[in-house]
Amino acid sequence: MHKVLIVEDEDHILELIKFNLENNGFNTAIAVDGVEAVEKANLIMPDLILLDIMLPKRDGIEVCKILKSNNKTKDVPIIMLTAKSEEFDKVLGLEMGADDYLTKPFSIRELVARIKAVMRRTYRDRQTDEEVIEFEDMIINIDKHMVLKKGKKVELTLKEFELLKILAINKGKVLNRNFLLDEVWGYDYFGETRTVDVHIRHLRKKIEDNNGIIETVRGVGYKIK
Ligand code: CA
């Protein structure tokens, strides 16, 4: 079983993540500040670290730097957890060697998917069959977060990818905007359903040539035929 070290100083977020990861079959360990994070990482050698940026004693960026410059821990993948206002730190985090990042608030589904994706990327030898969805001229590789159209890679943002993925998984079903908002943006997201429309529009520009892959069902939502 994979062990995830969760580094987070906010109790309720920590508990939420811990509870859900354990429900998804992960072992968890926790650290509540930057000093404890480095100690625990060295002590238990987790398979992955979820690392909040704003932490007491030592911030996540510094923790990441320390772990990535230590031979013992440098190969442990790190997913940084950032708040929306920490745009700068996010970039810095990736420069420090973090493997991925998630912006709060995120959905648990998204968190678990990202953990699995990073784990697969990191531990290729343990990799099982990749999950791939194919339809029309498209291939969606869920694990690699990659979309091919007529064999060519399509560059999608994370949200566009998540939207396409959920529509493709539910091919033939109409998904309403609120459902898509919850699934892709998370239950804590205070956005409007118009957000969904905007992203669908961008997505269409990228994946459609006149074949209308994504169908608008007026007053309801969207579906892939
Ligand atoms: Ca924090």
Side-chain angles (χ1 to χ4, degrees):
M1 208 191 276
H2 290 300
K3 196 189 293 160
V4 178
L5 174 62
I6 310 163
V7 186
E8 170 65 76
D9 59 318
E10 280 163 84
D11 278 353
H12 66 288
I13 301 180
L14 181 63
E15 282 308 313
L16 181 80
I17 295 175
K18 183 172 152 52
F19 174 81
N20 281 287
L21 289 191
E22 286 173 2
N23 266 353
N24 277 279
F26 294 99
N27 263 326
T28 62
I30 59 170
V32 295
D33 63 54
V35 172
E36 193 186 9
V38 174
E39 284 169 5
K40 279 258 174 91
N42 276 283
L43 189 70
I44 64 176
M45 287 302 292
D47 298 296
L48 184 140
I49 301 170
L50 285 179
L51 182 58
D52 185 31
I53 287 188
M54 299 293 282
L55 291 169
K57 295 187 186 175
R58 189 179 269 157
D59 70 27
I61 300 284
E62 218 184 311
V63 170
C64 183
K65 207 158 100 183
I66 292 168
L67 294 176
K68 289 295 181 184
S69 58
N70 174 347
N71 263 341
K72 188 177 169 195
T73 51
K74 72 176 174 27
D75 294 325
V76 178
I78 294 176
I79 299 179
M80 306 288 277
L81 305 178
T82 75
K84 269 194 187 136
S85 55
E86 295 163 357
E87 216 68 31
F88 173 71
D89 292 342
K90 197 154 73 184
V91 174
L92 198 62
L94 292 178
E95 279 173 5
M96 290 302 145
D99 298 82
D100 204 351
Y101 63 86
L102 266 172
T103 308
K104 293 176 185 173
F106 44 78
S107 69
I108 289 300
R109 202 179 291 241
E110 189 179 353
L111 174 67
V112 170
R114 296 288 270 284
I115 290 175
K116 286 182 177 169
V118 169
M119 290 244 194
R120 288 207 183 91
R121 271 207 314 265
T122 311
Y123 307 104
R124 280 183 199 283
D125 51 336
R126 292 188 216 162
Q127 190 168 341
T128 50
D129 286 344
E130 285 171 352
E131 202 177 337
V132 169
I133 303 171
E134 288 183 57
F135 61 92
E136 306 217 8
D137 52 7
M138 315 259 310
I139 299 173
I140 303 171
N141 188 314
I142 305 276
D143 300 328
K144 286 186 181 156
H145 267 237
M146 193 169 75
V147 176
L148 297 176
K149 182 178 173 69
K150 296 186 176 125
K152 272 194 191 152
K153 196 174 170 201
V154 184
E155 296 294 341
L156 297 181
T157 65
L158 177 66
K159 296 301 181 197
E160 289 162 0
F161 178 84
E162 294 291 326
L163 266 178
L164 178 63
K165 180 179 91 178
I166 193 147
L167 285 165
I169 289 171
N170 294 284
K171 197 168 174 292
K173 268 192 248 167
V174 186
L175 303 181
N176 74 44
R177 290 177 175 80
N178 279 317
F179 176 80
L180 291 169
L181 204 59
D182 287 346
E183 289 295 310
V184 176
W185 280 266
Y187 288 90
D188 300 333
Y189 182 76
F190 297 109
E192 297 173 44
T193 50
R194 202 156 40 89
T195 307
V196 176
D197 301 333
V198 171
H199 280 78
I200 290 278
R201 199 157 63 230
H202 292 162
L203 183 57
R204 276 179 167 149
K205 271 193 202 141
K206 293 180 180 177
I207 63 165
E208 292 185 357
D209 23 33
N210 289 311
N211 51 355
I213 290 172
I214 301 170
E215 192 184 325
T216 305
V217 182
R218 289 195 68 179
V220 188
Y222 298 98
K223 76 168 180 177
I224 285 179
K225 281 166 274 183

PDB file of all heavy atoms in Angstrom, residues 70-88:
ATOM      1  N   ASN A  70      18.417  16.478  -0.781  1.00  0.00           N
ATOM      2  CA  ASN A  70      18.929  15.394   0.067  1.00  0.00           C
ATOM      3  C   ASN A  70      18.833  14.074  -0.718  1.00  0.00           C
ATOM      4  O   ASN A  70      17.766  13.721  -1.209  1.00  0.00           O
ATOM      5  CB  ASN A  70      18.069  15.348   1.343  1.00  0.00           C
ATOM      6  CG  ASN A  70      18.406  14.165   2.246  1.00  0.00           C
ATOM      7  OD1 ASN A  70      19.108  13.231   1.861  1.00  0.00           O
ATOM      8  ND2 ASN A  70      17.874  14.218   3.448  1.00  0.00           N
ATOM      9  N   ASN A  71      19.964  13.404  -0.847  1.00  0.00           N
ATOM     10  CA  ASN A  71      20.006  12.160  -1.632  1.00  0.00           C
ATOM     11  C   ASN A  71      18.975  11.133  -1.211  1.00  0.00           C
ATOM     12  O   ASN A  71      18.429  10.411  -2.042  1.00  0.00           O
ATOM     13  CB  ASN A  71      21.394  11.523  -1.528  1.00  0.00           C
ATOM     14  CG  ASN A  71      22.239  11.899  -2.726  1.00  0.00           C
ATOM     15  OD1 ASN A  71      21.683  12.322  -3.756  1.00  0.00           O
ATOM     16  ND2 ASN A  71      23.542  11.768  -2.613  1.00  0.00           N
ATOM     17  N   LYS A  72      18.724  11.082   0.081  1.00  0.00           N
ATOM     18  CA  LYS A  72      17.797  10.073   0.600  1.00  0.00           C
ATOM     19  C   LYS A  72      16.361  10.352   0.134  1.00  0.00           C
ATOM     20  O   LYS A  72      15.621   9.429  -0.199  1.00  0.00           O
ATOM     21  CB  LYS A  72      17.870  10.075   2.132  1.00  0.00           C
ATOM     22  CG  LYS A  72      17.092   8.945   2.773  1.00  0.00           C
ATOM     23  CD  LYS A  72      17.262   8.964   4.283  1.00  0.00           C
ATOM     24  CE  LYS A  72      16.270   8.012   4.931  1.00  0.00           C
ATOM     25  NZ  LYS A  72      16.150   8.251   6.384  1.00  0.00           N
ATOM     26  N   THR A  73      15.993  11.629   0.128  1.00  0.00           N
ATOM     27  CA  THR A  73      14.577  11.954  -0.123  1.00  0.00           C
ATOM     28  C   THR A  73      14.323  12.584  -1.506  1.00  0.00           C
ATOM     29  O   THR A  73      13.183  12.871  -1.843  1.00  0.00           O
ATOM     30  CB  THR A  73      14.066  12.944   0.948  1.00  0.00           C
ATOM     31  OG1 THR A  73      14.971  14.047   1.034  1.00  0.00           O
ATOM     32  CG2 THR A  73      13.946  12.280   2.301  1.00  0.00           C
ATOM     33  N   LYS A  74      15.374  12.793  -2.280  1.00  0.00           N
ATOM     34  CA  LYS A  74      15.190  13.571  -3.519  1.00  0.00           C
ATOM     35  C   LYS A  74      14.253  12.914  -4.536  1.00  0.00           C
ATOM     36  O   LYS A  74      13.659  13.609  -5.365  1.00  0.00           O
ATOM     37  CB  LYS A  74      16.539  13.898  -4.153  1.00  0.00           C
ATOM     38  CG  LYS A  74      17.277  12.731  -4.797  1.00  0.00           C
ATOM     39  CD  LYS A  74      18.534  13.273  -5.459  1.00  0.00           C
ATOM     40  CE  LYS A  74      19.484  12.276  -6.041  1.00  0.00           C
ATOM     41  NZ  LYS A  74      19.031  10.985  -6.517  1.00  0.00           N
ATOM     42  N   ASP A  75      14.111  11.602  -4.468  1.00  0.00           N
ATOM     43  CA  ASP A  75      13.250  10.936  -5.448  1.00  0.00           C
ATOM     44  C   ASP A  75      11.801  10.770  -4.989  1.00  0.00           C
ATOM     45  O   ASP A  75      10.976  10.222  -5.709  1.00  0.00           O
ATOM     46  CB  ASP A  75      13.828   9.570  -5.814  1.00  0.00           C
ATOM     47  CG  ASP A  75      15.161   9.727  -6.538  1.00  0.00           C
ATOM     48  OD1 ASP A  75      15.293  10.707  -7.303  1.00  0.00           O
ATOM     49  OD2 ASP A  75      16.060   8.889  -6.320  1.00  0.00           O
ATOM     50  N   VAL A  76      11.520  11.204  -3.774  1.00  0.00           N
ATOM     51  CA  VAL A  76      10.131  11.122  -3.303  1.00  0.00           C
ATOM     52  C   VAL A  76       9.331  12.227  -3.992  1.00  0.00           C
ATOM     53  O   VAL A  76       9.660  13.402  -3.867  1.00  0.00           O
ATOM     54  CB  VAL A  76      10.043  11.307  -1.763  1.00  0.00           C
ATOM     55  CG1 VAL A  76       8.588  11.254  -1.316  1.00  0.00           C
ATOM     56  CG2 VAL A  76      10.882  10.262  -1.047  1.00  0.00           C
ATOM     57  N   PRO A  77       8.291  11.851  -4.757  1.00  0.00           N
ATOM     58  CA  PRO A  77       7.531  12.884  -5.459  1.00  0.00           C
ATOM     59  C   PRO A  77       6.773  13.801  -4.495  1.00  0.00           C
ATOM     60  O   PRO A  77       6.304  13.351  -3.449  1.00  0.00           O
ATOM     61  CB  PRO A  77       6.562  12.088  -6.340  1.00  0.00           C
ATOM     62  CG  PRO A  77       6.466  10.746  -5.724  1.00  0.00           C
ATOM     63  CD  PRO A  77       7.775  10.495  -5.026  1.00  0.00           C
ATOM     64  N   ILE A  78       6.692  15.067  -4.873  1.00  0.00           N
ATOM     65  CA  ILE A  78       6.017  16.055  -4.034  1.00  0.00           C
ATOM     66  C   ILE A  78       4.931  16.769  -4.833  1.00  0.00           C
ATOM     67  O   ILE A  78       5.173  17.235  -5.945  1.00  0.00           O
ATOM     68  CB  ILE A  78       7.026  17.108  -3.510  1.00  0.00           C
ATOM     69  CG1 ILE A  78       8.033  16.445  -2.565  1.00  0.00           C
ATOM     70  CG2 ILE A  78       6.294  18.262  -2.805  1.00  0.00           C
ATOM     71  CD1 ILE A  78       9.131  17.376  -2.079  1.00  0.00           C
ATOM     72  N   ILE A  79       3.728  16.799  -4.265  1.00  0.00           N
ATOM     73  CA  ILE A  79       2.660  17.621  -4.844  1.00  0.00           C
ATOM     74  C   ILE A  79       2.442  18.794  -3.896  1.00  0.00           C
ATOM     75  O   ILE A  79       2.138  18.603  -2.726  1.00  0.00           O
ATOM     76  CB  ILE A  79       1.343  16.836  -5.017  1.00  0.00           C
ATOM     77  CG1 ILE A  79       1.543  15.648  -5.976  1.00  0.00           C
ATOM     78  CG2 ILE A  79       0.227  17.757  -5.548  1.00  0.00           C
ATOM     79  CD1 ILE A  79       0.294  14.800  -6.197  1.00  0.00           C
ATOM     80  N   MET A  80       2.632  19.992  -4.411  1.00  0.00           N
ATOM     81  CA  MET A  80       2.453  21.187  -3.580  1.00  0.00           C
ATOM     82  C   MET A  80       0.977  21.565  -3.531  1.00  0.00           C
ATOM     83  O   MET A  80       0.270  21.444  -4.538  1.00  0.00           O
ATOM     84  CB  MET A  80       3.219  22.380  -4.162  1.00  0.00           C
ATOM     85  CG  MET A  80       4.688  22.149  -4.424  1.00  0.00           C
ATOM     86  SD  MET A  80       5.693  22.065  -2.931  1.00  0.00           S
ATOM     87  CE  MET A  80       5.963  23.775  -2.612  1.00  0.00           C
ATOM     88  N   LEU A  81       0.528  22.005  -2.373  1.00  0.00           N
ATOM     89  CA  LEU A  81      -0.839  22.505  -2.227  1.00  0.00           C
ATOM     90  C   LEU A  81      -0.752  24.016  -2.076  1.00  0.00           C
ATOM     91  O   LEU A  81      -0.077  24.512  -1.178  1.00  0.00           O
ATOM     92  CB  LEU A  81      -1.499  21.899  -0.995  1.00  0.00           C
ATOM     93  CG  LEU A  81      -1.506  20.375  -0.922  1.00  0.00           C
ATOM     94  CD1 LEU A  81      -2.161  19.907   0.375  1.00  0.00           C
ATOM     95  CD2 LEU A  81      -2.235  19.781  -2.116  1.00  0.00           C
ATOM     96  N   THR A  82      -1.391  24.731  -2.972  1.00  0.00           N
ATOM     97  CA  THR A  82      -1.274  26.180  -2.921  1.00  0.00           C
ATOM     98  C   THR A  82      -2.640  26.834  -2.802  1.00  0.00           C
ATOM     99  O   THR A  82      -3.635  26.264  -3.223  1.00  0.00           O
ATOM    100  CB  THR A  82      -0.613  26.730  -4.200  1.00  0.00           C
ATOM    101  OG1 THR A  82      -1.567  26.683  -5.270  1.00  0.00           O
ATOM    102  CG2 THR A  82       0.600  25.924  -4.584  1.00  0.00           C
ATOM    103  N   ALA A  83      -2.664  28.016  -2.228  1.00  0.00           N
ATOM    104  CA  ALA A  83      -3.888  28.816  -2.235  1.00  0.00           C
ATOM    105  C   ALA A  83      -3.844  29.667  -3.494  1.00  0.00           C
ATOM    106  O   ALA A  83      -2.783  29.887  -4.059  1.00  0.00           O
ATOM    107  CB  ALA A  83      -3.965  29.688  -0.990  1.00  0.00           C
ATOM    108  N   LYS A  84      -5.001  30.136  -3.906  1.00  0.00           N
ATOM    109  CA  LYS A  84      -5.094  30.894  -5.156  1.00  0.00           C
ATOM    110  C   LYS A  84      -4.154  32.098  -5.191  1.00  0.00           C
ATOM    111  O   LYS A  84      -3.653  32.477  -6.215  1.00  0.00           O
ATOM    112  CB  LYS A  84      -6.521  31.384  -5.350  1.00  0.00           C
ATOM    113  CG  LYS A  84      -7.326  30.389  -6.142  1.00  0.00           C
ATOM    114  CD  LYS A  84      -8.606  31.010  -6.613  1.00  0.00           C
ATOM    115  CE  LYS A  84      -9.472  29.943  -7.258  1.00  0.00           C
ATOM    116  NZ  LYS A  84     -10.842  30.029  -6.845  1.00  0.00           N
ATOM    117  N   SER A  85      -3.948  32.690  -4.024  1.00  0.00           N
ATOM    118  CA  SER A  85      -3.152  33.921  -3.967  1.00  0.00           C
ATOM    119  C   SER A  85      -1.654  33.663  -4.041  1.00  0.00           C
ATOM    120  O   SER A  85      -0.863  34.576  -4.023  1.00  0.00           O
ATOM    121  CB  SER A  85      -3.472  34.643  -2.668  1.00  0.00           C
ATOM    122  OG  SER A  85      -3.262  33.766  -1.580  1.00  0.00           O
ATOM    123  N   GLU A  86      -1.273  32.399  -4.127  1.00  0.00           N
ATOM    124  CA  GLU A  86       0.150  32.081  -4.072  1.00  0.00           C
ATOM    125  C   GLU A  86       0.742  31.728  -5.430  1.00  0.00           C
ATOM    126  O   GLU A  86       1.606  30.879  -5.546  1.00  0.00           O
ATOM    127  CB  GLU A  86       0.394  30.923  -3.096  1.00  0.00           C
ATOM    128  CG  GLU A  86       0.069  31.295  -1.673  1.00  0.00           C
ATOM    129  CD  GLU A  86      -0.101  30.096  -0.751  1.00  0.00           C
ATOM    130  OE1 GLU A  86      -0.024  28.941  -1.220  1.00  0.00           O
ATOM    131  OE2 GLU A  86      -0.339  30.321   0.432  1.00  0.00           O
ATOM    132  N   GLU A  87       0.238  32.390  -6.443  1.00  0.00           N
ATOM    133  CA  GLU A  87       0.657  32.132  -7.823  1.00  0.00           C
ATOM    134  C   GLU A  87       2.180  32.059  -7.959  1.00  0.00           C
ATOM    135  O   GLU A  87       2.721  31.166  -8.573  1.00  0.00           O
ATOM    136  CB  GLU A  87       0.124  33.248  -8.730  1.00  0.00           C
ATOM    137  CG  GLU A  87      -0.280  32.769 -10.098  1.00  0.00           C
ATOM    138  CD  GLU A  87      -1.519  31.878 -10.029  1.00  0.00           C
ATOM    139  OE1 GLU A  87      -2.370  32.076  -9.139  1.00  0.00           O
ATOM    140  OE2 GLU A  87      -1.603  30.978 -10.863  1.00  0.00           O
ATOM    141  N   PHE A  88       2.838  33.003  -7.352  1.00  0.00           N
ATOM    142  CA  PHE A  88       4.293  33.081  -7.456  1.00  0.00           C
ATOM    143  C   PHE A  88       4.960  31.858  -6.840  1.00  0.00           C
ATOM    144  O   PHE A  88       5.831  31.241  -7.430  1.00  0.00           O
ATOM    145  CB  PHE A  88       4.789  34.365  -6.786  1.00  0.00           C
ATOM    146  CG  PHE A  88       6.280  34.446  -6.693  1.00  0.00           C
ATOM    147  CD1 PHE A  88       7.045  34.643  -7.833  1.00  0.00           C
ATOM    148  CD2 PHE A  88       6.929  34.303  -5.480  1.00  0.00           C
ATOM    149  CE1 PHE A  88       8.428  34.709  -7.763  1.00  0.00           C
ATOM    150  CE2 PHE A  88       8.310  34.366  -5.402  1.00  0.00           C
ATOM    151  CZ  PHE A  88       9.067  34.569  -6.545  1.00  0.00           C
TER     152      PHE A  88
END
